[in-house]
Amino acid sequence: MADTLPKVAGKLTADAPLAPLVWFKSGGAADWLFEPRDLADLQGFLRDLDPALPVMALGLGSNMIVRDGGVPGVVVRLGKAFARVAKTADLTLDCGGGASGILVSSTARDNGIAGLEFLRSIPGTVGGFVRMNGGAYGGEVKDILIDCDVVLRSGALLTLTKDDLNYTYRHSELPEGAIVVAARFEGRPGEPETIQSEMDRISASREATQPLRSKTGGSTFENPAGHRAWELVDQAGCRGLTMGGAQVSEKHTNFLINTGTATSADIEALGNEVRRRVLEKSGVELEWEIQRVGRK
Ligand SMILES: Cc1cc2nc3c(=O)[nH]c(=O)nc-3n(C[C@H](O)[C@H](O)[C@H](O)COP(=O)(O)OP(=O)(O)OC[C@H]3O[C@@H](n4cnc5c(N)ncnc54)[C@H](O)[C@@H]3O)c2cc1C
């Protein structure tokens, strides 16, 4: 099968286990894992790849259940060449699609750019933030994004503005198979010390309320209009509920955790059981926020 894939300068691995690359530490392998050397490598590969093969981007896998049957086609993971962050104008940062929230927020601080502190607390990459409209503590990507560069499934490079992405809560209309390779974020003037204290405040609050040191996937369900998902889950008696090796976090009921031996099927089945109980108890249908990908 390797012969049928385009030649690359970066790393192309067949049957690549994804569990080590995602927060839940569960799930199957990618048919192919591609870590492009640079932008030209990514563009050339996608241009020459059989259009029938699906392509999916993977960041830090902090919002993802990879099903146990693995992911068909090609999973693209952006490495060092896409992890740079640089100031371009007074209050603007140009960020690679693979850069972490920690790097973006600390570069903003060093340059006296406020308003990006919330990215300190979201464990993901710029590509994942742009795709998911990541947000926390009153900020979200749609408030700071100017535009982003994406490589389409055809290999074409395109700049999309914030308006092109039609953002709603934790959702964008990024084209299917598109890979975000860079994004420009804009903040407002701020003092580095003040920005640092806001980042510290956010980190401490996170530590107190979320199971950050567990194998988890972030918020499991979207907050339904007029409700908070964690409260509905709690009211339905699901705090600590287990299924196989999966458990509803005792610390934050909108988080599922892998206690050590969970399969992705355990985690997904637990999520569905929680949805069933919440519907029965309060009549509200919870929608998954976590991306569930791959073959069952
Ligand atoms: C402990 C914990 C706390 C969290 N807290 C928050 C929070 O407060 N707020 C919040 O919004 N989220 C939170 N999350 C969820 C998660 O961190 C975000 O959704 C984040 O944006 C995911 O980024 P990622 O790069 O890891 O994406 P992944 O989880 O790898 O992927 C998520 C989606 O983004 C797509 N994607 C990833 N990279 C790219 C790319 N380069 N181009 C195109 N698409 C891409 C994937 O295909 C997938 O559809 C939390 C997660 C954890 C584990």
Side-chain angles (χ1 to χ4, degrees):
M1 188 170 172
D3 296 343
T4 65
L5 291 196
K7 295 261 175 295
V8 298
K11 197 171 164 201
L12 191 57
T13 313
D15 203 19
L18 293 179
L21 305 181
V22 301
W23 265 63
F24 271 123
K25 298 284 174 271
S26 67
D31 288 354
W32 294 94
L33 179 67
F34 177 39
E35 297 163 275
R37 191 180 65 182
D38 51 28
L39 180 59
D41 194 24
L42 176 61
Q43 284 190 265
F45 175 79
L46 290 179
R47 187 190 57 230
D48 297 341
L49 184 68
D50 177 353
L53 279 183
V55 169
M56 184 195 95
L58 176 67
L60 297 182
S62 56
N63 205 211
M64 195 180 277
I65 295 173
V66 172
R67 292 186 172 124
D68 302 310
V71 178
V74 181
V75 170
V76 175
R77 193 158 177 263
L78 302 179
K80 274 200 191 120
F82 298 88
R84 282 188 281 265
V85 177
K87 182 175 142 174
T88 48
D90 258 6
L91 297 169
T92 306
L93 294 182
D94 191 0
C95 309
S100 70
I102 293 183
L103 181 63
V104 175
S105 55
S106 49
T107 309
R109 174 204 58 210
D110 295 346
N111 287 283
I113 303 174
L116 278 61
E117 296 89 343
F118 69 95
L119 290 178
R120 166 69 184 81
S121 65
I122 312 181
T125 64
V126 165
F129 300 150
V130 169
R131 161 82 163 74
M132 300 298 298
N133 189 17
Y137 296 89
E140 57 184 348
V141 160
K142 79 171 175 48
D143 303 332
I144 58 169
L145 182 70
I146 300 173
D147 57 18
C148 62
D149 299 333
V150 303
V151 177
L152 300 178
R153 179 61 186 77
S154 62
L157 180 67
L158 191 73
T159 299
L160 297 174
T161 66
K162 170 171 56 185
D163 290 345
D164 293 330
L165 292 167
N166 280 321
Y167 275 127
T168 50
Y169 178 74
R170 303 290 171 267
H171 183 79
S172 71
E173 289 181 8
L174 194 69
E176 187 69 28
I179 315 281
V180 176
V181 291
R184 260 77 49 189
F185 293 136
E186 187 177 36
R188 53 176 196 278
E191 285 303 320
E193 299 74 35
T194 318
I195 296 169
Q196 181 61 52
S197 11
E198 177 61 2
M199 284 162 65
D200 291 345
R201 185 188 72 80
I202 286 174
S203 299
S205 161
R206 282 276 143 154
E207 193 71 48
T209 56
Q210 294 186 354
L212 301 183
R213 295 178 204 292
S214 303
K215 298 169 188 160
T216 181
S219 292
T220 309
F221 304 110
E222 294 177 2
N223 286 324
H227 296 279
R228 283 185 290 199
W230 74 263
E231 238 164 30
L232 295 172
V233 175
D234 213 9
Q235 283 160 6
C238 298
R239 185 178 290 263
L241 184 69
T242 60
M243 197 168 272
Q247 184 180 36
V248 176
S249 166
E250 298 268 2
K251 198 168 183 182
H252 191 312
T253 50
N254 199 23
F255 279 61
L256 301 181
I257 52 180
N258 172 1
T259 58
T261 55
T263 59
S264 290
D266 291 340
I267 298 167
E268 194 168 359
L270 177 62
N272 284 327
E273 176 59 14
V274 169
R275 293 179 76 220
R276 194 190 66 73
R277 292 189 188 201
V278 166
L279 184 63
E280 195 174 85
K281 172 77 182 170
S282 53
V284 178
E285 205 161 340
L286 290 176
E287 296 297 336
W288 285 92
E289 180 173 322
I290 291 182
Q291 307 293 301
R292 290 157 301 136
V293 301
R295 298 169 283 234
K296 285 195 178 174

